[in-house]
Amino acid sequence: MSILQEYEQIKKLIGNEKYDAIEIYLNIINSTENVDKMFEEFNKLSFESDGWVEKQKELKNKHNVILLSDVIYNEEEWKKFNNWYNVEFTHNNVKILNVWKSDFGDMRCNALLYKNSKLIANIIVKSDLKEKNIFIVENKMKSLIYKNFEKYCNLPKLSKCSKLMEEIYDTVCNSDSSMCYITDEDWYNDYADRFNSKDIEKLKEEVKKYKLDNIITFNEDEYKILGYGDLAVSFNDDRNISKNKNQERGR
């Protein structure tokens, strides 16, 4: 397969609009003067000389120029472009609030998602990243979210759920163990004055609706209700967002 054919396949894979945006991106980040100087020296190279590819790399580094091939084939350069594309082209934006290592060994972050400068989602995302540098972790988390931006935006909204689901979600997010344990005794002491059997049935319907069967269980071992850590990554906690919107409507 020729390089041209390979680029055509890549264009089909990522879409014409995004592929064409790479040229705009390169025109922004590269100095025209540096590009001209680099190609002027390129043209003096002999394709048949030893180490031609390495000399190309040296010239790119010397003049601080990024090419189309760098964006397509270099993971770090692709992430930089992808972040630019989301913010400047699709007008999506991600704000990382904090990052931590969970009790399950994965890395998690709390992030706010914006579209056209409007806050639309408050999510928790998990990743198997092994990095220790917090700056690198934040950037990789941000790239992960941009890559799956629409998926995260389309997570079920917590404001549409029952109060019992909200409470279990909050307990999972805030507990040291990232779990929610409710025994019969706990239910009687802490929940029975606010919830009843109808609320449990409603919760069961939500578990089925949102495919949370392995995340919220009932009557498992000694627990009446058991909420697992992945509940935190299953919703868009839009409750404050919804409140703000309602307040704006009421003005």
Side-chain angles (χ1 to χ4, degrees):
M1 180 187 297
S2 69
I3 293 177
L4 183 60
Q5 288 173 321
E6 191 170 342
Y7 278 9
E8 284 300 317
Q9 282 196 350
I10 292 171
K11 189 173 185 178
K12 288 180 182 179
L13 181 65
I14 67 175
N16 290 344
E17 182 184 87
K18 193 167 188 177
Y19 186 88
D20 293 341
I22 299 176
E23 182 178 355
I24 298 172
Y25 171 74
L26 294 175
N27 288 335
I28 291 172
I29 66 169
N30 287 324
S31 160
T32 303
E33 182 181 356
N34 287 2
V35 171
D36 289 343
K37 287 180 179 178
M38 182 196 69
F39 277 111
E40 184 180 337
E41 294 187 46
F42 263 0
N43 294 333
K44 296 177 182 178
L45 294 177
S46 170
F47 294 132
E48 297 177 354
S49 63
D50 294 335
W52 180 77
V53 174
E54 289 304 318
K55 289 177 182 177
Q56 268 193 321
K57 290 180 181 179
E58 288 175 9
L59 286 177
K60 285 196 300 180
N61 292 334
K62 174 183 175 181
H63 296 289
N64 194 28
V65 171
I66 302 298
L67 299 178
L68 174 63
S69 58
D70 298 315
V71 175
I72 291 175
Y73 297 114
N74 184 292
E75 183 180 1
E76 291 305 315
E77 292 300 335
W78 174 260
K79 286 178 181 177
K80 291 177 186 177
F81 160 72
N82 203 40
N83 289 351
W84 172 88
Y85 176 79
N86 277 281
V87 175
E88 302 297 335
F89 233 79
T90 64
H91 304 292
N92 298 335
N93 205 355
V94 176
K95 181 179 180 181
I96 303 293
L97 298 179
N98 51 38
V99 176
W100 67 95
K101 186 174 183 178
S102 78
D103 289 343
F104 305 102
D106 54 28
M107 296 299 298
R108 301 197 175 197
C109 76
N110 183 201
L112 300 179
L113 308 188
Y114 297 82
K115 187 180 284 288
N116 295 318
S117 300
K118 291 184 178 179
L119 176 60
I120 57 174
N122 178 5
I123 61 170
I124 294 175
V125 176
K126 69 175 183 177
S127 171
D128 293 328
L129 288 172
K130 303 301 180 184
E131 295 283 352
K132 293 183 179 180
N133 184 302
I134 193 68
F135 177 78
I136 294 176
V137 171
E138 284 188 5
N139 276 283
K140 289 195 173 184
M141 282 290 201
K142 187 175 284 190
S143 294
L144 172 65
I145 296 170
Y146 275 133
K147 183 179 179 181
N148 301 282
F149 194 86
E150 294 303 323
K151 174 189 132 180
Y152 290 122
C153 287
N154 291 323
L155 285 173
K157 294 181 177 180
L158 196 60
S159 66
K160 304 295 184 183
C161 294
S162 66
K163 293 299 180 184
L164 182 53
M165 174 68 85
E166 288 185 28
E167 187 152 335
I168 294 172
Y169 172 91
D170 287 335
T171 300
V172 167
C173 291
N174 297 322
S175 71
D176 293 336
S177 63
S178 299
M179 296 282 290
C180 177
Y181 303 98
I182 303 176
T183 63
D184 285 326
E185 183 178 356
D186 294 330
W187 181 265
Y188 178 78
N189 292 331
D190 303 323
Y191 295 85
D193 60 331
R194 295 174 292 123
F195 302 105
N196 55 39
S197 58
K198 289 184 179 179
D199 294 302
I200 293 179
E201 290 306 311
K202 173 65 175 176
L203 180 64
K204 288 180 178 179
E205 291 174 8
E206 291 174 323
V207 167
K208 184 176 181 180
K209 177 181 178 179
Y210 298 121
K211 297 179 173 59
L212 302 173
D213 306 77
N214 295 322
I215 297 175
I216 295 179
T217 61
F218 302 90
N219 302 315
E220 181 180 344
D221 298 327
E222 71 270 30
Y223 300 107
K224 186 179 185 72
I225 302 174
L226 189 57
Y228 288 87
D230 276 356
L231 186 63
V233 302
S234 300
F235 287 97
N236 165 13
D237 185 3
D238 68 322
R239 288 173 292 181
N240 289 331
I241 300 172
S242 299
K243 286 178 184 177
N244 291 337
K245 286 182 179 178
N246 290 333
Q247 287 172 358
E248 289 173 2
R249 293 191 191 102
R251 288 175 183 174

